[in-house]
Amino acid sequence: MHRFFSSRRLVIVALSVITCLGLMTLSVAVRNRRSTPPVVQQFGNDVAGFADRVVSLPADGIGAGANSLAQLLNTYDENQKLKQQVDQMAQDKVRLQTAEQENKELRQEAKLNKSLSDYQSLTASVIARTPSSWQSQLIIGKGSANGVKKNMPVLAGKGLIGRVVEVNQTNSKVELISDDNENANRFAIQVTSKKGETVNGIVTGYDADKNVLEMGQITTKTKLENGDQVATSGLGGVTPKGLYVGKVVGITNDDYGHASKVAIRPAGKLGSVNIVTVAAKNQAGDE
Amino acid sequence: MKATRIKWFSALGLAICIFLDGAISQQLAGQLFTNGAKLVPELTTLWLLATAFFEDEIHVPTYWFAIVAGIVFDLFYAGYWGIYLFIFPVVVWLARTLRQYLPVNLFATLLVGFLGFAIQPLFSWIALRLIGLTSVSLADFMVVSLAPTLALNEVLLMIFYLPLRKLYLRHN
């Protein structure tokens, strides 16, 4: 029986461990610093993305079939509810149009061409998800060729779900707010209280057990309540203002009665997402 | 002639498994990745293990397969280099080493599978802890990720054992 660890094998193992650790450290640095990955990586990813579409097409078909079967079962209930909502929608739409028009006129009056809430949306299909317990990442089928840029916020379902972390030519990676990476959920947000007052802050963490985002370190006298709406504040970075994040579901008060930690239930769909929207902020002098 | 055909078959199967991992994770994300249990499909690991464990006299270049699979996983899925590039060759090495000591039957295959399927979550957890991308504790890792993932993939291996084994036996 040969020895389990010959000296030659030991050297090979040691070398490969060191090489892989080096590569990992290097790639973290590259990923944090640069807006696009190296050309070789981009090319590899574009090829892989193409191959993935070929393989995942039947899988998507089966998934869609199963989904529609499940949806068929509660169609009737939903239909009743939706009918009521549609009536409401028509009214809201008219109101929105009027408000938008008024907003535009007022902005012209104030000579404000670009505001924090201006953004263009790009719709992209999700082509794969990282098969890992820790990295909650989606690979979406639009890349720099379609105008996706690093750090753009991504929405699905009703609200914000994450941000773009890597951009290739024809596909990009989106890190969800449920990702373990501590930077994944740092969004500048704004809570609007029932009285219309706003509290600015930053998402400081994500509690996977409770599925809530935490907004900490707040010192304000504004009284916040459960059910208050949370949206992005548009301050700093490329995230536009007014993207819906979720609702307040819990407030932990400190000794002085100021809200110090707010728990927010995200409105975005973090599970099986097939279509996402990338929100691109219109920055002054961008066009 | 036959040996060449099965080599191409293994390569094609591997490529399909690599992308199926991502497609399954994406389609069934709501069911597979809940907060209490995370079941990661490891079809790529399964395919590599089965190829390395069953190949016998065919001499499939399993190490090269593992390296290619590792590169695709690192670039396309993880976005960090060097994680799966390390994991997959270790998985192949494990299967090839154990093949010398174990008989090839269902029980031995499941045992090798158990070790192989544990390597992927274990090493990727260690790697992500090292570069500071996760803060999951050991206890959480074992209960939430490792155990459910092992269970899912052992069942998959049990299903795939017979067809794959028969295929490699026929070509030997």
Side-chain angles (χ1 to χ4, degrees), chain A residues 23-81:
Chain A
L23 275 174
M24 267 152 55
T25 329
L26 188 73
S27 59
V28 171
V30 167
R31 187 163 152 142
N32 287 342
R33 208 177 306 142
R34 294 177 55 170
S35 59
T36 51
V39 180
V40 184
Q41 191 171 342
Q42 270 192 48
F43 178 72
N45 275 329
D46 289 329
V47 174
F50 178 73
D52 182 277
R53 274 169 234 216
V54 176
V55 175
S56 59
L57 211 64
D60 287 354
I62 294 166
N67 263 339
S68 39
L69 197 70
Q71 278 167 7
L72 198 64
L73 296 173
N74 50 30
T75 306
Y76 181 75
D77 266 358
E78 241 174 38
N79 194 15
Q80 295 292 324
K81 281 183 205 156

Short mmCIF file of all heavy atoms in Angstrom, two decimals, chain A residues 23-81:
data_model
loop_
_atom_site.label_atom_id
_atom_site.label_comp_id
_atom_site.label_asym_id
_atom_site.label_seq_id
_atom_site.Cartn_x
_atom_site.Cartn_y
_atom_site.Cartn_z
N LEU A 23 -5.60 33.62 -5.68
CA LEU A 23 -6.60 33.98 -6.67
C LEU A 23 -7.83 34.59 -6.02
O LEU A 23 -8.39 35.58 -6.50
CB LEU A 23 -7.02 32.74 -7.46
CG LEU A 23 -6.15 32.34 -8.65
CD1 LEU A 23 -6.61 31.03 -9.22
CD2 LEU A 23 -6.23 33.42 -9.72
N MET A 24 -8.26 33.98 -4.90
CA MET A 24 -9.46 34.48 -4.21
C MET A 24 -9.26 35.92 -3.74
O MET A 24 -10.10 36.78 -3.96
CB MET A 24 -9.77 33.58 -3.01
CG MET A 24 -10.75 32.48 -3.34
SD MET A 24 -10.52 31.02 -2.32
CE MET A 24 -10.66 31.70 -0.71
N THR A 25 -8.12 36.14 -3.07
CA THR A 25 -7.84 37.48 -2.56
C THR A 25 -7.78 38.49 -3.69
O THR A 25 -8.37 39.57 -3.62
CB THR A 25 -6.48 37.49 -1.82
OG1 THR A 25 -6.28 36.22 -1.25
CG2 THR A 25 -6.44 38.55 -0.78
N LEU A 26 -7.11 38.10 -4.77
CA LEU A 26 -6.97 38.98 -5.92
C LEU A 26 -8.34 39.32 -6.50
O LEU A 26 -8.64 40.48 -6.80
CB LEU A 26 -6.11 38.28 -6.98
CG LEU A 26 -5.71 39.12 -8.17
CD1 LEU A 26 -4.66 40.12 -7.75
CD2 LEU A 26 -5.19 38.24 -9.30
N SER A 27 -9.20 38.29 -6.63
CA SER A 27 -10.48 38.54 -7.27
C SER A 27 -11.38 39.41 -6.41
O SER A 27 -12.18 40.19 -6.92
CB SER A 27 -11.17 37.22 -7.62
OG SER A 27 -11.39 36.45 -6.48
N VAL A 28 -11.26 39.31 -5.08
CA VAL A 28 -12.04 40.20 -4.22
C VAL A 28 -11.64 41.64 -4.47
O VAL A 28 -12.48 42.53 -4.66
CB VAL A 28 -11.84 39.84 -2.73
CG1 VAL A 28 -12.47 40.89 -1.84
CG2 VAL A 28 -12.42 38.48 -2.44
N ALA A 29 -10.31 41.86 -4.55
CA ALA A 29 -9.80 43.21 -4.78
C ALA A 29 -10.29 43.73 -6.13
O ALA A 29 -10.79 44.85 -6.24
CB ALA A 29 -8.28 43.20 -4.73
N VAL A 30 -10.18 42.88 -7.16
CA VAL A 30 -10.58 43.29 -8.51
C VAL A 30 -12.07 43.61 -8.54
O VAL A 30 -12.50 44.62 -9.08
CB VAL A 30 -10.25 42.18 -9.53
CG1 VAL A 30 -10.94 42.46 -10.86
CG2 VAL A 30 -8.75 42.09 -9.73
N ARG A 31 -12.86 42.75 -7.90
CA ARG A 31 -14.31 42.92 -7.94
C ARG A 31 -14.75 44.20 -7.25
O ARG A 31 -15.67 44.88 -7.67
CB ARG A 31 -14.97 41.72 -7.29
CG ARG A 31 -16.47 41.70 -7.41
CD ARG A 31 -16.93 40.31 -7.13
NE ARG A 31 -18.27 40.29 -6.60
CZ ARG A 31 -19.14 39.34 -6.93
NH1 ARG A 31 -18.82 38.41 -7.77
NH2 ARG A 31 -20.33 39.35 -6.40
N ASN A 32 -14.06 44.53 -6.15
CA ASN A 32 -14.46 45.73 -5.41
C ASN A 32 -14.03 47.00 -6.13
O ASN A 32 -14.67 48.03 -6.03
CB ASN A 32 -13.85 45.73 -4.01
CG ASN A 32 -14.55 44.71 -3.14
OD1 ASN A 32 -15.66 44.28 -3.47
ND2 ASN A 32 -13.92 44.32 -2.06
N ARG A 33 -12.91 46.94 -6.84
CA ARG A 33 -12.34 48.16 -7.37
C ARG A 33 -12.84 48.50 -8.77
O ARG A 33 -13.13 49.63 -9.07
CB ARG A 33 -10.81 48.05 -7.38
CG ARG A 33 -10.14 49.40 -7.24
CD ARG A 33 -8.64 49.24 -7.17
NE ARG A 33 -8.23 48.33 -6.11
CZ ARG A 33 -7.23 47.48 -6.23
NH1 ARG A 33 -6.55 47.40 -7.35
NH2 ARG A 33 -6.90 46.70 -5.24
N ARG A 34 -12.89 47.49 -9.63
CA ARG A 34 -13.13 47.82 -11.03
C ARG A 34 -14.60 47.73 -11.40
O ARG A 34 -15.35 46.95 -10.84
CB ARG A 34 -12.31 46.90 -11.91
CG ARG A 34 -10.84 47.14 -11.73
CD ARG A 34 -10.03 46.19 -12.54
NE ARG A 34 -10.38 46.22 -13.94
CZ ARG A 34 -9.66 45.61 -14.86
NH1 ARG A 34 -8.59 44.93 -14.51
NH2 ARG A 34 -10.02 45.64 -16.11
N SER A 35 -14.97 48.52 -12.38
CA SER A 35 -16.39 48.51 -12.75
C SER A 35 -16.71 47.31 -13.64
O SER A 35 -17.82 46.82 -13.62
CB SER A 35 -16.75 49.80 -13.47
OG SER A 35 -15.96 49.94 -14.60
N THR A 36 -15.75 46.84 -14.40
CA THR A 36 -15.98 45.63 -15.19
C THR A 36 -14.86 44.64 -14.93
O THR A 36 -13.74 45.04 -14.66
CB THR A 36 -16.01 45.93 -16.70
OG1 THR A 36 -14.84 46.67 -17.01
CG2 THR A 36 -17.24 46.69 -17.11
N PRO A 37 -15.17 43.34 -14.98
CA PRO A 37 -14.11 42.35 -14.76
C PRO A 37 -13.13 42.33 -15.93
O PRO A 37 -13.42 42.89 -16.99
CB PRO A 37 -14.88 41.03 -14.68
CG PRO A 37 -16.18 41.29 -15.33
CD PRO A 37 -16.47 42.73 -15.18
N PRO A 38 -11.95 41.70 -15.75
CA PRO A 38 -10.97 41.62 -16.84
C PRO A 38 -11.59 41.01 -18.10
O PRO A 38 -12.56 40.26 -18.02
CB PRO A 38 -9.90 40.69 -16.29
CG PRO A 38 -10.05 40.76 -14.82
CD PRO A 38 -11.46 41.08 -14.53
N VAL A 39 -11.00 41.34 -19.24
CA VAL A 39 -11.56 40.94 -20.53
C VAL A 39 -11.72 39.42 -20.64
O VAL A 39 -12.75 38.93 -21.10
CB VAL A 39 -10.67 41.45 -21.68
CG1 VAL A 39 -11.24 41.05 -23.02
CG2 VAL A 39 -10.55 42.95 -21.60
N VAL A 40 -10.71 38.69 -20.15
CA VAL A 40 -10.77 37.22 -20.23
C VAL A 40 -12.00 36.71 -19.49
O VAL A 40 -12.75 35.86 -19.97
CB VAL A 40 -9.49 36.60 -19.61
CG1 VAL A 40 -9.50 35.10 -19.78
CG2 VAL A 40 -8.26 37.20 -20.23
N GLN A 41 -12.21 37.28 -18.29
CA GLN A 41 -13.34 36.85 -17.47
C GLN A 41 -14.66 37.20 -18.16
O GLN A 41 -15.60 36.42 -18.18
CB GLN A 41 -13.25 37.52 -16.10
CG GLN A 41 -14.20 36.94 -15.09
CD GLN A 41 -13.94 37.48 -13.70
OE1 GLN A 41 -12.87 38.01 -13.42
NE2 GLN A 41 -14.90 37.34 -12.83
N GLN A 42 -14.70 38.41 -18.73
CA GLN A 42 -15.91 38.83 -19.43
C GLN A 42 -16.24 37.90 -20.56
O GLN A 42 -17.37 37.45 -20.73
CB GLN A 42 -15.70 40.23 -20.01
CG GLN A 42 -16.09 41.33 -19.08
CD GLN A 42 -16.14 42.64 -19.82
OE1 GLN A 42 -16.71 42.73 -20.90
NE2 GLN A 42 -15.53 43.64 -19.26
N PHE A 43 -15.17 37.57 -21.36
CA PHE A 43 -15.38 36.70 -22.51
C PHE A 43 -15.88 35.33 -22.05
O PHE A 43 -16.86 34.80 -22.58
CB PHE A 43 -14.06 36.57 -23.29
CG PHE A 43 -14.17 35.65 -24.46
CD1 PHE A 43 -14.88 36.03 -25.59
CD2 PHE A 43 -13.60 34.38 -24.43
CE1 PHE A 43 -14.99 35.18 -26.67
CE2 PHE A 43 -13.71 33.52 -25.51
CZ PHE A 43 -14.41 33.93 -26.63
N GLY A 44 -15.21 34.78 -21.03
CA GLY A 44 -15.62 33.48 -20.49
C GLY A 44 -17.06 33.50 -20.05
O GLY A 44 -17.84 32.59 -20.34
N ASN A 45 -17.43 34.57 -19.35
CA ASN A 45 -18.79 34.67 -18.85
C ASN A 45 -19.81 34.79 -19.96
O ASN A 45 -20.92 34.28 -19.87
CB ASN A 45 -18.92 35.87 -17.91
CG ASN A 45 -18.50 35.51 -16.51
OD1 ASN A 45 -18.66 34.37 -16.10
ND2 ASN A 45 -17.96 36.46 -15.81
N ASP A 46 -19.44 35.50 -21.03
CA ASP A 46 -20.38 35.65 -22.14
C ASP A 46 -20.60 34.32 -22.83
O ASP A 46 -21.73 33.97 -23.18
CB ASP A 46 -19.86 36.70 -23.13
CG ASP A 46 -19.96 38.10 -22.55
OD1 ASP A 46 -20.89 38.32 -21.75
OD2 ASP A 46 -19.13 38.95 -22.88
N VAL A 47 -19.51 33.56 -23.00
CA VAL A 47 -19.65 32.23 -23.61
C VAL A 47 -20.49 31.33 -22.71
O VAL A 47 -21.43 30.66 -23.15
CB VAL A 47 -18.26 31.60 -23.86
CG1 VAL A 47 -18.40 30.17 -24.34
CG2 VAL A 47 -17.47 32.42 -24.86
N ALA A 48 -20.17 31.34 -21.41
CA ALA A 48 -20.92 30.51 -20.46
C ALA A 48 -22.39 30.91 -20.45
O ALA A 48 -23.27 30.06 -20.38
CB ALA A 48 -20.32 30.65 -19.06
N GLY A 49 -22.64 32.22 -20.53
CA GLY A 49 -24.01 32.70 -20.54
C GLY A 49 -24.79 32.17 -21.73
O GLY A 49 -25.94 31.77 -21.62
N PHE A 50 -24.10 32.12 -22.87
CA PHE A 50 -24.75 31.61 -24.08
C PHE A 50 -25.08 30.13 -23.92
O PHE A 50 -26.20 29.69 -24.18
CB PHE A 50 -23.85 31.83 -25.29
CG PHE A 50 -24.42 31.30 -26.56
CD1 PHE A 50 -25.48 31.96 -27.17
CD2 PHE A 50 -23.95 30.13 -27.11
CE1 PHE A 50 -26.03 31.46 -28.33
CE2 PHE A 50 -24.50 29.63 -28.27
CZ PHE A 50 -25.54 30.28 -28.89
N ALA A 51 -24.07 29.36 -23.44
CA ALA A 51 -24.29 27.92 -23.25
C ALA A 51 -25.40 27.68 -22.24
O ALA A 51 -26.23 26.78 -22.39
CB ALA A 51 -23.00 27.26 -22.79
N ASP A 52 -25.42 28.52 -21.21
CA ASP A 52 -26.43 28.36 -20.16
C ASP A 52 -27.83 28.52 -20.71
O ASP A 52 -28.74 27.79 -20.36
CB ASP A 52 -26.19 29.40 -19.07
CG ASP A 52 -27.17 29.24 -17.93
OD1 ASP A 52 -28.30 29.76 -18.04
OD2 ASP A 52 -26.81 28.57 -16.97
N ARG A 53 -27.99 29.48 -21.63
CA ARG A 53 -29.32 29.69 -22.20
C ARG A 53 -29.80 28.46 -22.95
O ARG A 53 -30.98 28.13 -22.92
CB ARG A 53 -29.30 30.89 -23.13
CG ARG A 53 -29.52 32.18 -22.36
CD ARG A 53 -29.24 33.36 -23.22
NE ARG A 53 -28.27 34.21 -22.55
CZ ARG A 53 -28.29 35.52 -22.62
NH1 ARG A 53 -29.22 36.12 -23.31
NH2 ARG A 53 -27.42 36.23 -21.98
N VAL A 54 -28.86 27.78 -23.64
CA VAL A 54 -29.24 26.57 -24.38
C VAL A 54 -29.73 25.49 -23.43
O VAL A 54 -30.75 24.86 -23.64
CB VAL A 54 -28.04 26.06 -25.21
CG1 VAL A 54 -28.39 24.75 -25.89
CG2 VAL A 54 -27.62 27.10 -26.22
N VAL A 55 -28.98 25.30 -22.33
CA VAL A 55 -29.32 24.24 -21.39
C VAL A 55 -30.55 24.60 -20.56
O VAL A 55 -31.42 23.76 -20.30
CB VAL A 55 -28.13 23.93 -20.45
CG1 VAL A 55 -28.51 22.93 -19.39
CG2 VAL A 55 -26.96 23.41 -21.26
N SER A 56 -30.64 25.88 -20.15
CA SER A 56 -31.72 26.22 -19.21
C SER A 56 -33.06 26.42 -19.89
O SER A 56 -34.08 26.54 -19.22
CB SER A 56 -31.34 27.45 -18.39
OG SER A 56 -31.11 28.53 -19.23
N LEU A 57 -33.06 26.43 -21.22
CA LEU A 57 -34.33 26.63 -21.92
C LEU A 57 -35.37 25.57 -21.57
O LEU A 57 -36.48 25.91 -21.15
CB LEU A 57 -34.08 26.67 -23.43
CG LEU A 57 -35.05 27.55 -24.22
CD1 LEU A 57 -34.89 29.01 -23.83
CD2 LEU A 57 -34.83 27.38 -25.72
N PRO A 58 -35.03 24.26 -21.70
CA PRO A 58 -36.01 23.25 -21.29
C PRO A 58 -36.33 23.32 -19.80
O PRO A 58 -37.49 23.15 -19.40
CB PRO A 58 -35.35 21.92 -21.66
CG PRO A 58 -33.96 22.22 -22.04
CD PRO A 58 -33.86 23.65 -22.33
N ALA A 59 -35.31 23.60 -18.97
CA ALA A 59 -35.56 23.69 -17.53
C ALA A 59 -36.54 24.82 -17.22
O ALA A 59 -37.46 24.66 -16.41
CB ALA A 59 -34.25 23.93 -16.79
N ASP A 60 -36.36 25.94 -17.91
CA ASP A 60 -37.28 27.06 -17.72
C ASP A 60 -38.69 26.67 -18.14
O ASP A 60 -39.66 27.04 -17.50
CB ASP A 60 -36.84 28.27 -18.56
CG ASP A 60 -35.60 28.91 -17.98
OD1 ASP A 60 -35.20 28.48 -16.89
OD2 ASP A 60 -35.05 29.82 -18.61
N GLY A 61 -38.77 25.91 -19.25
CA GLY A 61 -40.08 25.47 -19.73
C GLY A 61 -40.80 24.64 -18.70
O GLY A 61 -41.97 24.88 -18.40
N ILE A 62 -40.05 23.69 -18.10
CA ILE A 62 -40.66 22.83 -17.07
C ILE A 62 -41.08 23.67 -15.87
O ILE A 62 -42.17 23.54 -15.33
CB ILE A 62 -39.68 21.72 -16.65
CG1 ILE A 62 -39.43 20.78 -17.84
CG2 ILE A 62 -40.22 20.93 -15.46
CD1 ILE A 62 -38.24 19.86 -17.67
N GLY A 63 -40.19 24.57 -15.47
CA GLY A 63 -40.49 25.45 -14.33
C GLY A 63 -41.73 26.28 -14.59
O GLY A 63 -42.61 26.40 -13.74
N ALA A 64 -41.81 26.83 -15.80
CA ALA A 64 -42.95 27.67 -16.14
C ALA A 64 -44.23 26.84 -16.14
O ALA A 64 -45.28 27.29 -15.67
CB ALA A 64 -42.73 28.30 -17.52
N GLY A 65 -44.13 25.60 -16.64
CA GLY A 65 -45.30 24.72 -16.66
C GLY A 65 -45.81 24.45 -15.26
O GLY A 65 -47.01 24.58 -14.97
N ALA A 66 -44.87 24.11 -14.35
CA ALA A 66 -45.25 23.82 -12.97
C ALA A 66 -45.86 25.06 -12.33
O ALA A 66 -46.86 24.97 -11.60
CB ALA A 66 -44.02 23.36 -12.18
N ASN A 67 -45.26 26.21 -12.62
CA ASN A 67 -45.76 27.46 -12.06
C ASN A 67 -47.18 27.74 -12.50
O ASN A 67 -48.05 28.09 -11.69
CB ASN A 67 -44.88 28.62 -12.51
CG ASN A 67 -43.86 28.96 -11.47
OD1 ASN A 67 -44.05 28.63 -10.30
ND2 ASN A 67 -42.78 29.59 -11.88
N SER A 68 -47.42 27.56 -13.81
CA SER A 68 -48.75 27.91 -14.30
C SER A 68 -49.80 26.95 -13.75
O SER A 68 -50.94 27.34 -13.51
CB SER A 68 -48.78 27.96 -15.83
OG SER A 68 -48.04 26.94 -16.38
N LEU A 69 -49.40 25.69 -13.53
CA LEU A 69 -50.34 24.74 -12.95
C LEU A 69 -50.73 25.18 -11.54
O LEU A 69 -51.91 25.18 -11.16
CB LEU A 69 -49.69 23.35 -12.90
CG LEU A 69 -50.65 22.19 -12.70
CD1 LEU A 69 -51.49 22.00 -13.95
CD2 LEU A 69 -49.90 20.92 -12.37
N ALA A 70 -49.71 25.59 -10.76
CA ALA A 70 -49.98 26.05 -9.40
C ALA A 70 -50.84 27.30 -9.42
O ALA A 70 -51.74 27.47 -8.59
CB ALA A 70 -48.67 26.32 -8.68
N GLN A 71 -50.58 28.16 -10.41
CA GLN A 71 -51.33 29.41 -10.46
C GLN A 71 -52.78 29.18 -10.86
O GLN A 71 -53.68 29.86 -10.40
CB GLN A 71 -50.67 30.37 -11.45
CG GLN A 71 -49.51 31.12 -10.82
CD GLN A 71 -48.68 31.81 -11.86
OE1 GLN A 71 -49.03 31.85 -13.03
NE2 GLN A 71 -47.55 32.34 -11.43
N LEU A 72 -52.96 28.16 -11.70
CA LEU A 72 -54.31 27.84 -12.18
C LEU A 72 -55.23 27.55 -11.00
O LEU A 72 -56.42 27.87 -11.01
CB LEU A 72 -54.24 26.64 -13.12
CG LEU A 72 -55.42 26.42 -14.03
CD1 LEU A 72 -55.54 27.57 -15.00
CD2 LEU A 72 -55.28 25.11 -14.77
N LEU A 73 -54.68 26.92 -9.97
CA LEU A 73 -55.49 26.47 -8.85
C LEU A 73 -56.10 27.62 -8.06
O LEU A 73 -57.18 27.50 -7.51
CB LEU A 73 -54.66 25.56 -7.93
CG LEU A 73 -54.22 24.27 -8.61
CD1 LEU A 73 -53.29 23.49 -7.71
CD2 LEU A 73 -55.42 23.41 -9.00
N ASN A 74 -55.37 28.74 -7.97
CA ASN A 74 -55.98 29.84 -7.21
C ASN A 74 -56.35 31.03 -8.11
O ASN A 74 -56.41 32.15 -7.66
CB ASN A 74 -55.09 30.28 -6.05
CG ASN A 74 -53.67 30.53 -6.50
OD1 ASN A 74 -53.45 30.92 -7.65
ND2 ASN A 74 -52.72 30.31 -5.62
N THR A 75 -56.65 30.71 -9.36
CA THR A 75 -56.99 31.78 -10.30
C THR A 75 -58.29 32.47 -9.92
O THR A 75 -58.39 33.69 -9.95
CB THR A 75 -57.14 31.21 -11.72
OG1 THR A 75 -55.96 30.51 -12.03
CG2 THR A 75 -57.36 32.31 -12.73
N TYR A 76 -59.29 31.67 -9.51
CA TYR A 76 -60.61 32.23 -9.27
C TYR A 76 -60.58 33.27 -8.15
O TYR A 76 -61.05 34.40 -8.32
CB TYR A 76 -61.60 31.12 -8.92
CG TYR A 76 -62.99 31.63 -8.67
CD1 TYR A 76 -63.81 32.03 -9.74
CD2 TYR A 76 -63.49 31.76 -7.38
CE1 TYR A 76 -65.07 32.53 -9.52
CE2 TYR A 76 -64.75 32.27 -7.15
CZ TYR A 76 -65.54 32.64 -8.22
OH TYR A 76 -66.79 33.15 -8.00
N ASP A 77 -59.98 32.85 -7.04
CA ASP A 77 -59.86 33.77 -5.89
C ASP A 77 -59.17 35.06 -6.29
O ASP A 77 -59.62 36.15 -5.96
CB ASP A 77 -59.02 33.10 -4.79
CG ASP A 77 -59.91 32.40 -3.80
OD1 ASP A 77 -61.14 32.48 -3.99
OD2 ASP A 77 -59.37 31.78 -2.87
N GLU A 78 -58.06 34.86 -6.99
CA GLU A 78 -57.26 36.00 -7.38
C GLU A 78 -58.04 36.95 -8.28
O GLU A 78 -57.99 38.16 -8.13
CB GLU A 78 -56.03 35.51 -8.13
CG GLU A 78 -54.75 35.90 -7.44
CD GLU A 78 -53.56 35.28 -8.13
OE1 GLU A 78 -53.57 35.20 -9.38
OE2 GLU A 78 -52.65 34.85 -7.43
N ASN A 79 -58.77 36.35 -9.19
CA ASN A 79 -59.55 37.12 -10.16
C ASN A 79 -60.51 38.06 -9.45
O ASN A 79 -60.63 39.24 -9.80
CB ASN A 79 -60.31 36.16 -11.08
CG ASN A 79 -60.84 36.87 -12.30
OD1 ASN A 79 -60.42 37.97 -12.60
ND2 ASN A 79 -61.76 36.24 -12.99
N GLN A 80 -61.20 37.53 -8.44
CA GLN A 80 -62.14 38.35 -7.68
C GLN A 80 -61.43 39.56 -7.07
O GLN A 80 -61.88 40.69 -7.18
CB GLN A 80 -62.76 37.51 -6.54
CG GLN A 80 -63.62 36.36 -7.04
CD GLN A 80 -64.89 36.84 -7.71
OE1 GLN A 80 -65.48 37.83 -7.29
NE2 GLN A 80 -65.30 36.16 -8.77
N LYS A 81 -60.31 39.26 -6.43
CA LYS A 81 -59.58 40.34 -5.76
C LYS A 81 -59.05 41.35 -6.78
O LYS A 81 -59.13 42.56 -6.55
CB LYS A 81 -58.40 39.75 -4.98
CG LYS A 81 -58.79 39.15 -3.66
CD LYS A 81 -57.54 38.67 -2.94
CE LYS A 81 -57.89 37.56 -1.97
NZ LYS A 81 -56.74 36.71 -1.68
#
